[in-house]
Amino acid sequence: MFLNRSVSQPHHNFGTQSPKASPNYVGLVRFLVQPFLESPETLSVDSEISQTLNRVWIRIAFESTDKGKVFGRGGRNIQAIRTVIAAAAAAAGQSVYLDIYGSTTPDREGMSFDEDTEERSPPPPKTREPRTNGPKPIVKPRIR
């Protein structure tokens, strides 16, 4: 019952479904990543949506000096960003892939951070030098 009888009752179309709109992935990623950057103007975000596969590819690039802050300790920050993006994509019935590309230095342009870490060789294993010419430690027996 409505107090104003000049307004007709609202009609609800429960039977029809509106097409799911794709989230604004570029805006979402900018919102999530920019607070970690020293110079947010260096952030570049690009998204590609495949309607037939229901997949979204998001590519981001920023200065390599901010890499540590964006990734966070143990990758916690970037994992949280990926989780939020995946939740937005799941709500739209899509799957999402996030690629992170490297710095703007001339020799490594366009290389992703994953490729960057694969290219580095692991440090050589540390070897212990045997003790020589030094006194041996005295081992005392335990008494109970």
Side-chain angles (χ1 to χ4, degrees), residues 60 62-67 71 100-103 111-118:
I60 63 173
F62 50 85
E63 288 292 326
S64 63
T65 55
D66 294 327
K67 177 178 131 181
F71 277 63
I100 302 164
Y101 290 90
S103 67
M111 181 178 281
S112 73
F113 285 131
D114 295 333
E115 294 170 4
D116 186 24
T117 55
E118 289 173 5

Side-chain angles (χ1 to χ4, degrees), residues 4-37:
N4 189 349
R5 295 199 186 264
S6 64
V7 177
S8 64
Q9 291 188 358
H11 56 84
H12 299 286
N13 293 334
F14 290 111
T16 61
Q17 293 182 358
S18 63
K20 290 186 179 180
S22 182
N24 180 3
Y25 292 106
V26 173
L28 179 61
V29 171
R30 283 191 183 281
F31 176 77
L32 294 171
V33 174
Q34 276 183 343
F36 296 111
L37 302 176

